[in-house]
Amino acid sequence: MGSRASSLLREEDIEEIKKQTGFSHSQITRLYSRFHSLDKGENGALSREDFQRIPELAINPLGDRIINAFFPEGEDQVNFRGFMRTLAHFRPVEDNEKNKDPTSGEPLNSRTNKLFFAFRLYDLDRDDKISRDELLQVLRMMVGVNISDEQLGSIADRTIQEADTNGDMCISFSEFTKVLEKVDVEQKMSIRFLH
Amino acid sequence: MSPFNNLLCMLLGISFTVWFTLLLVFIIVPAIFGLSFGIRGLYMKTPSCSLSGCIIAKEPTSLEEELKEIRRNGPSPSTSEFEMSDTFYFCRRGIESIVDDEVTKRFTAEELESWNLLTRSNYNFQHISTRLTVLWGLGVVIRYGFLLPLRLTLAITGVSLLVVFTTMIGFLPNGRVKHFLSEKVHLMCYRICVRALTAIITYHHSENKPKNGGICVANHTSPIDVIILASDGCYAMVGQIHGGLMGLIQKSMVKACPHIWFERSEVKDRHLVAKRLSDHVKDKSKLPILIFPEGTCINNTSVMMFKKGSFEIASTVYPVAIKYDPRFGDAFWNSSKFGMVNYLLRMMSSWAIVCSVWYLPPMSRQEGEDAVQFANRVKAAIARQGGLVDLLWDGGLKRGKVKDTFKEEQQKLYSKILVGTQENRSRS
């Protein structure tokens, strides 16, 4: 008489995801229910259409880019592991994790990884640089038709000017990090998951 | 082995009797007297999370507040207008909506806090014990072996009587006798159908029951809503003509008293629909119209956008709130998952349909209020009474895509913030 949803999720899988992402057991099972309810095709993976069916996401100006972040390069389906890995970036940073052993690798929700998630939202072609075009594209998504090309162009130019330190007219990840060093990334890129 | 067999039979017999008595005493009888509703009142107050708990706590900050906060700590806040960290707000909101959103969960059946021994309501419950499995097994036997055949017979009786009697009444000349008989026949047949579902209904504030020349609006969860309301009062139904058995019922009902049935082609013509409704309402001898302005079935945890059509007609609106108790059987019809027949069979094999109906005081459109504002006011009243979440989202999102205008609104808001800072900049 197991539940329909979690009977497809085995204990070993839960343990592995727990180790990888840091979510608790109950959080994982609840997120699995959510994954299952979004999976209309019931094939154990989500497609882009499944995400777009969420009205609040469909009206988000950056909705498409956020959905993109879930899908690995060139793929059209994301399974539960992938889903959890992406969501793990938004776990709040807990104090005891700040002193984690550096050899075990950085946790997915570290400040650097959160910043990298945000960086990826701009860097569509994944060449580790935000070009002027890529910046313009994101700006255009956020403002819609309300600001002219000219004005938007000057905003983009100014932003690159202020951030670019090595003169290549692009923003690399380290330049991105430097610009945002005073911003409270840990809080702004975190969601309060309840136990 | 023989005494062992006897013992086994005796034990089974006793447990069956005990189980049945428990069911009767602790579930059905209190439900009839409405004793269980006190407990429901406690958890009805937390409609925003699913009953199995919230996954996240959402930040209630707005775009403006958040951007101001981020920029306060960013590099040289007074000179730049766009910050690369502006995306954080949209990013977080997007991820929050992926984890938990207000809309998609309204189109699937509600999750229960504790299992009600129906497998169909079993979403998140782990295997608990063999004893529970045995209880469930007994439940299946009772429901499918005893309750279902009984209810099917009642349903068939009810429907046949409705068709036969209304056709007979159709031969009478229009007048008081016909009206009187039609009322009695409709009420009787609907009450038989109510028994066929073992619907235990509590009507509140019957003094506010809809009167002739008015429009009754209610929140929509399933086709059973119609039977529940019509067994307590006479209404003129509104709807599309179907074929088959449904069509037969519709055609014979309209012989006894005027209902408003539309051909499929006429449904699209909003002026035609409005005209027919107005004409009906103006005639005070005709029964009040019953309309479900959401336009589709919602899972009874929320009330979604009311279509303004019925609120444009000049007449008194009688709001009605219907709330089902999901512990005995979930009445929500998920039309993308189940067909009508499948749905009715599931209803008839649940324990019972328990619900409350509240007749709210009549409302009219006020001076300076347009149809949309009026519709929202009525919706808020219904949501408040039924303990449901009041949503602005359109129930049509069950099948259709959301309009781009909402995204454009967000883009406009963000642009205003950007341009605003630029104005400040050029001034300084």
Side-chain angles (χ1 to χ4, degrees):
Chain A
M1 204 76 40
S3 73
R4 254 176 268 134
S6 65
S7 58
L8 299 168
L9 190 66
R10 300 166 305 174
E11 276 304 314
E12 312 99 73
D13 293 328
I14 299 182
E15 283 305 313
E16 254 197 77
I17 294 175
K18 200 163 159 182
K19 237 187 292 179
Q20 235 192 11
T21 62
F23 281 115
S24 74
H25 195 282
S26 62
Q27 285 168 343
I28 295 175
T29 39
R30 267 195 262 135
L31 286 166
Y32 188 76
S33 293
R34 174 65 175 171
F35 178 84
H36 191 78
S37 72
L38 291 173
D39 180 16
K40 291 287 185 253
E42 300 214 347
N43 56 354
L46 296 177
S47 65
R48 287 193 167 79
E49 286 79 44
D50 287 323
F51 283 100
Q52 274 151 3
R53 227 175 271 122
I54 304 172
E56 287 163 38
L57 187 62
I59 65 170
N60 188 316
L62 293 180
D64 286 332
R65 287 291 167 98
I66 297 169
I67 295 174
N68 222 33
F70 281 86
F71 294 86
E73 196 75 45
E75 301 216 357
D76 288 328
Q77 302 267 318
V78 55
N79 60 13
F80 184 58
R81 293 264 179 112
F83 184 70
M84 292 303 280
R85 276 192 60 104
T86 315
L87 286 182
H89 287 99
F90 287 83
R91 265 189 64 234
V93 180
E94 278 135 48
D95 278 316
N96 53 13
E97 284 181 28
K98 286 201 179 119
N99 304 320
K100 220 178 184 162
D101 181 5
T103 58
S104 67
E106 255 186 83
L108 285 166
N109 64 338
S110 67
R111 186 194 163 89
T112 318
N113 277 324
K114 286 182 197 286
L115 279 168
F116 197 61
F117 187 92
F119 184 79
R120 275 289 172 84
L121 242 80
Y122 287 100
D123 183 22
L124 196 60
D125 60 4
R126 311 226 168 153
D127 64 352
D128 290 330
K129 290 203 290 277
I130 302 176
S131 66
R132 184 179 186 270
D133 271 335
E134 285 172 336
L135 185 56
L136 267 175
Q137 267 180 42
V138 173
L139 276 166
R140 185 51 76 192
M141 286 174 89
M142 290 202 285
V143 306
V145 300
N146 299 293
I147 296 187
S148 68
D149 279 330
E150 238 172 44
Q151 219 175 345
L152 220 58
S154 65
I155 293 177
D157 288 327
R158 191 174 298 122
T159 312
I160 294 185
Q161 212 176 31
E162 285 172 355
D164 188 18
T165 50
N166 65 354
D168 63 351
M169 301 307 276
C170 285
I171 305 177
S172 69
F173 183 57
S174 51
E175 287 163 354
F176 184 74
T177 317
K178 187 96 189 22
V179 168
L180 298 175
E181 69 185 344
K182 289 213 194 72
V183 174
D184 187 3
V185 176
E186 287 90 335
Q187 209 231 348
K188 294 301 166 196
M189 289 284 274
S190 291
I191 299 178
R192 277 196 296 160
F193 287 96
L194 300 175
H195 297 284
Chain B
M1 289 306 278
S2 184
F4 180 71
N5 273 348
N6 281 342
L7 190 61
L8 196 62
C9 287
M10 224 162 62
L11 277 173
L12 278 175
I14 292 177
S15 38
F16 186 82
T17 321
V18 167
W19 161 244
F20 203 65
T21 318
L22 282 174
L23 180 72
L24 205 65
V25 172
F26 287 108
I27 299 184
I28 297 187
V29 171
I32 294 178
F33 292 103
L35 284 176
S36 57
F37 293 144
I39 308 171
R40 188 165 60 94
L42 286 176
Y43 69 73
M44 249 164 54
K45 297 293 185 277
T46 55
S48 56
C49 305
S50 70
L51 285 176
S52 60
C54 286
I55 308 184
I56 52 175
K58 292 198 183 171
E59 299 292 330
T61 49
S62 74
L63 172 60
E64 250 187 283
E65 286 168 19
E66 185 115 351
L67 288 184
K68 256 191 246 162
E69 233 188 280
I70 302 184
R71 285 172 185 195
R72 210 181 319 131
N73 304 324
S76 39
S78 57
T79 55
S80 43
E81 52 225 346
F82 167 70
E83 292 284 347
M84 300 207 73
S85 53
D86 285 353
T87 54
F88 289 5
Y89 174 81
F90 292 113
C91 205
R92 206 187 65 232
R93 279 309 176 104
I95 300 282
E96 274 175 358
S97 66
I98 290 176
V99 174
D100 187 19
D101 78 300
E102 279 304 318
V103 183
T104 53
K105 61 189 180 189
R106 309 294 173 191
F107 302 131
T108 53
E110 197 181 343
E111 288 178 27
L112 293 173
E113 207 169 74
S114 54
W115 194 31
N116 66 352
L117 295 176
L118 295 171
T119 353
R120 61 191 71 143
S121 323
N122 190 351
Y123 298 101
N124 284 321
F125 304 110
Q126 314 296 330
H127 174 85
I128 302 172
S129 69
T130 335
R131 191 176 37 157
L132 210 57
T133 319
V134 169
L135 278 179
W136 172 78
L138 277 175
V140 167
V141 167
I142 298 175
R143 287 187 290 121
Y144 284 89
F146 172 63
L147 293 176
L148 182 60
L150 178 65
R151 289 171 179 168
L152 265 179
T153 330
L154 280 174
I156 296 175
T157 318
V159 171
S160 329
L161 284 179
L162 181 65
V163 171
V164 166
F165 280 142
T166 46
T167 317
M168 279 169 48
I169 294 175
F171 290 121
L172 292 173
N174 283 341
R176 275 196 28 221
V177 178
K178 182 176 188 183
H179 190 90
F180 176 74
L181 280 178
S182 154
E183 229 185 79
K184 291 295 168 234
V185 161
H186 273 103
L187 278 176
M188 175 188 82
C189 296
Y190 280 118
R191 285 186 181 147
I192 297 180
C193 290
V194 162
R195 297 286 174 277
L197 293 165
T198 317
I200 301 165
I201 312 168
T202 319
Y203 296 98
H204 302 267
H205 305 305
S206 295
E207 68 270 12
N208 292 325
K209 249 197 264 193
K211 301 189 176 46
N212 282 8
I215 300 182
C216 174
V217 302
N219 58 315
H220 200 26
T221 307
S222 99
I224 295 179
D225 294 340
V226 174
I227 301 177
I228 287 177
L229 288 178
S231 61
D232 191 44
C234 288
Y235 298 94
M237 312 279 171
V238 180
Q240 209 183 310
I241 292 216
H242 291 94
L245 178 62
M246 202 59 216
L248 177 66
I249 300 175
Q250 286 176 319
K251 286 199 192 81
S252 52
M253 276 170 70
V254 85
K255 289 194 186 117
C257 72
H259 295 282
I260 308 176
W261 303 125
F262 290 102
E263 300 290 335
R264 182 166 270 257
S265 50
E266 293 174 325
V267 173
K268 298 279 163 57
D269 187 347
R270 284 187 53 210
H271 289 294
L272 177 65
V273 171
K275 181 153 194 322
R276 277 185 73 177
L277 290 176
S278 314
D279 288 343
H280 183 109
V281 157
K282 285 202 195 87
D283 186 346
K284 294 293 182 221
S285 71
K286 293 199 177 144
L287 299 166
I289 305 179
L290 178 58
I291 289 188
F292 297 101
E294 281 164 312
T296 186
C297 293
I298 311 293
N299 76 345
N300 210 231
T301 56
S302 68
V303 184
M304 298 188 98
M305 188 180 95
F306 274 6
K307 306 224 183 310
K308 60 178 178 168
S310 11
F311 297 91
E312 281 169 339
I313 302 168
S315 106
T316 338
V317 165
Y318 295 88
V320 176
I322 307 176
K323 178 83 178 112
Y324 291 88
D325 191 337
R327 288 174 301 168
F328 299 97
D330 195 324
F332 169 59
W333 181 31
N334 191 343
S335 50
S336 45
K337 250 182 151 182
F338 310 110
M340 173 72 97
V341 178
N342 196 334
Y343 168 72
L344 286 173
L345 282 176
R346 283 160 66 92
M347 284 301 102
M348 290 198 236
S349 58
S350 307
W351 294 117
I353 310 283
V354 178
C355 67
S356 286
V357 175
W358 287 273
Y359 293 105
L360 297 169
M363 297 169 114
S364 311
R365 185 138 59 111
Q366 283 167 353
E367 283 293 321
E369 206 181 31
D370 69 0
V372 174
Q373 288 166 325
F374 181 38
N376 285 337
R377 194 160 57 92
V378 175
K379 175 158 69 80
I382 293 182
R384 210 181 5 246
Q385 180 66 75
L388 306 163
V389 178
D390 187 359
L391 292 179
L392 290 173
W393 296 98
D394 186 351
L397 289 171
K398 196 203 260 188
R399 299 214 171 81
K401 283 206 147 73
V402 65
K403 291 200 214 122
D404 281 329
T405 43
F406 294 109
K407 190 193 276 201
E408 286 157 21
E409 269 170 40
Q410 293 218 37
Q411 288 169 329
K412 214 188 281 185
L413 186 60
Y414 179 66
S415 309
K416 248 194 259 176
I417 295 173
L418 271 194
V419 169
T421 10
Q422 184 168 56
E423 275 174 11
N424 290 339
R425 202 175 172 282
S426 57
R427 249 183 265 133
S428 64

